[in-house]
């Protein structure tokens, strides 16, 4: 029987899954590398239901679980990322809304998630719902989030990664997220019409690059909701890889009941069911992101 040095057991799919589950359950032995510089990623796709918030919180949790200090900025008025990370987002709580208005700093608004000491979240409260109207008349309205995410504040919190979770639209909040970031992470579901509307998102990113943030790049694409029982999922996967090349992560997130259930319990899937396929896949994706970040030049 073939063995691997890493496992000492047969290199079967079951053995490999057992090894991956052990890594999720015992993260201290498999810490992820820190990036060569702080990475700020905006997670964007104006198409709803593609796993955007789910991917944001689970990638952040995966990095944090393995020793990387990570901040999630919940820029979606629905506040789903705040719910999944189990942070207080009742009206009146210091939040991203106060940050955009200049009434609170990132240090004031960031809360530590109960799921990891390395995982922080700036919550979204119901007050954010009307913020786009308020922002219209403000000076530097497209750069309010960038001005709030100061290097000094993020240094004080010791942050390695910032993930900004956008609303499913291309409005002023999403523009703020794109201006504040160095990179864009786009989740694409392995389903029919997966690429529908993506051209408009890429056009908007190009406009932001041209006029507001020359450093912005689409650095990462994550394939989500993969159902191996369908030919369509494989066709979408191949099409995305052919079109976008190396920016597509090797890891694909499977369609998973556990991933869908976790937010209802105020948890990421890593906290809800750490041995599940969904949890292990997000850990693998987070490790890919971490390894890419560790190889970047300053």
């Amino acid at each position: 029987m073939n063995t691997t040095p890493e496992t000492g057991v047969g290199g079967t799919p079951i053995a490999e899954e057992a090894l991956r589950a052990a890594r999720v359950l015992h993260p201290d032995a498999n810490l992820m590398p820190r990036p060569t510089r702080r990475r700020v990623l905006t997670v964007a796709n104006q198409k709803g239901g593609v796993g955007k918030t789910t991917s944001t919180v689970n990638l952040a949790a995966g990095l944090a679980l393995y020793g990387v200090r990570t901040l999630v900025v919940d820029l979606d008025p629905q506040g789903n990322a705040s719910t999944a990370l189990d942070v207080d987002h009742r009206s009146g709580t210091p939040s991203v809304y106060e940050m955009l208005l200049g009434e609170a700093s990132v240090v004031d608004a960031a809360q530590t998630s109960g799921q990891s000491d390395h995982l922080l979240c700036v919550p979204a409260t119901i007050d954010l719902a009307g913020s786009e109207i308020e922002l219209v008349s403000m000076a530097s309205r497209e750069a309010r989030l960038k001005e709030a995410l100061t290097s000094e504040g993020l240094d004080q919190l010791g942050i390695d990664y910032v993930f900004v979770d956008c609303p499913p639209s291309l409005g002023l909040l999403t523009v703020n997220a794109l201006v504040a970031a160095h990179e864009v992470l786009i989740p694409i579901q392995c389903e029919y019409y997966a690429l529908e509307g993506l051209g408009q998102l890429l056009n908007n990113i190009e406009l932001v690059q041209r006029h507001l943030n020359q450093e912005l790049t689409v650095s990462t694409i994550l394939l989500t909701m993969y159902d191996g029982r369908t030919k369509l999922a494989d066709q979408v996967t191949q099409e995305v890889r052919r079109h976008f090349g190396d920016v597509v992560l090797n890891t694909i997130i499977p369609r998973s009941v556990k991933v869908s259930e976790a937010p209802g319990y105020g948890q990421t899937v890593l906290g809800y069911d750490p041995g599940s396929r969904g949890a292990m896949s997000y850990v693998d994706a987070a490790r890919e992101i971490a390894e890419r970040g560790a190889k970047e030049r300053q």
Side-chain angles (χ1 to χ4, degrees):
M1 179 173 65
N2 292 330
T3 61
T4 64
E6 196 170 15
T7 64
V9 298
T12 64
I14 292 175
E16 290 172 8
E17 282 213 15
L19 175 64
R20 290 164 68 204
R23 285 176 175 167
V24 175
L25 293 166
H26 304 287
D28 291 344
N30 299 280
L31 295 180
M32 294 184 187
R34 296 179 62 190
T36 56
R37 60 183 177 89
R38 182 182 297 122
R39 297 179 68 186
V40 182
L41 297 96
T42 282
V43 185
N45 192 329
Q46 82 274 19
K47 196 169 188 288
V50 300
K52 179 177 54 60
T53 297
T54 298
S55 295
T56 301
V57 298
N58 285 299
L59 289 172
L63 288 163
L65 185 66
Y66 289 84
V68 182
R69 293 276 291 178
T70 308
L71 172 70
V72 172
V73 178
D74 190 353
L75 205 60
D76 187 342
Q78 296 178 77
N80 292 334
S82 305
T83 299
L85 295 178
D86 195 25
V87 296
D88 187 3
H89 57 111
R90 293 171 293 181
S91 182
T93 303
S95 69
V96 71
Y97 174 74
E98 283 77 16
M99 280 175 49
L100 291 171
L101 296 185
E103 296 174 359
S105 70
V106 64
V107 176
D108 297 329
Q111 300 179 39
T112 302
S113 170
Q115 299 185 43
S116 170
D117 290 340
H118 294 296
L119 180 57
L120 290 81
C121 177
V122 174
T125 64
I126 192 64
D127 302 317
L128 188 61
S131 62
E132 294 211 38
I133 297 171
E134 295 180 63
L135 286 171
V136 167
S137 60
M138 290 186 179
S140 304
R141 62 187 181 185
E142 300 93 351
R144 304 293 295 190
L145 183 62
K146 180 180 181 179
E147 292 170 0
L149 292 174
T150 62
S151 295
E152 293 79 13
L154 295 173
D155 286 345
Q156 188 174 335
L157 295 170
I159 299 300
D160 296 308
Y161 280 84
V162 179
F163 288 91
V164 184
D165 185 39
C166 295
S169 70
L170 295 175
L172 199 47
L173 288 176
T174 298
V175 171
N176 262 267
L178 294 173
V179 172
H182 307 136
E183 308 172 44
V184 183
L185 187 158
I186 304 175
I188 298 177
Q189 81 279 33
C190 299
E191 294 181 354
Y192 197 56
Y193 294 136
L195 303 180
E196 187 182 59
L198 196 58
Q200 190 178 357
L201 173 62
L202 294 173
N203 287 340
N204 277 40
I205 291 170
E206 189 178 334
L207 284 171
V208 171
Q209 287 172 327
R210 199 179 308 149
H211 300 290
L212 298 167
N213 182 3
Q214 293 181 356
E215 295 181 7
L216 188 66
T217 60
V218 177
S219 68
T220 312
I221 289 178
L222 176 65
L223 291 161
T224 64
M225 301 182 182
Y226 177 83
D227 187 344
R229 298 169 299 179
T230 67
K231 287 184 179 180
L232 177 63
D234 285 329
Q235 290 170 355
V236 171
T237 299
Q238 291 170 15
E239 186 176 352
V240 171
R241 291 197 188 282
R242 184 173 63 251
H243 189 76
F244 292 101
D246 291 342
V247 301
V248 185
L249 294 181
N250 293 321
T251 304
I252 299 175
I253 308 301
R255 184 173 287 282
S256 166
V257 172
K258 298 296 185 183
V259 170
S260 302
E261 287 177 349
Y265 294 86
Q267 292 182 295
T268 63
V269 71
L270 277 74
Y272 179 64
D273 191 348
S276 67
R277 285 178 64 235
M280 290 188 285
S281 296
Y282 273 115
V283 168
D284 288 344
R287 188 172 294 279
E288 270 196 78
I289 290 171
E291 288 173 353
R292 290 185 183 192
K295 292 175 184 175
E296 277 190 354
R297 293 182 180 178
Q298 292 279 8

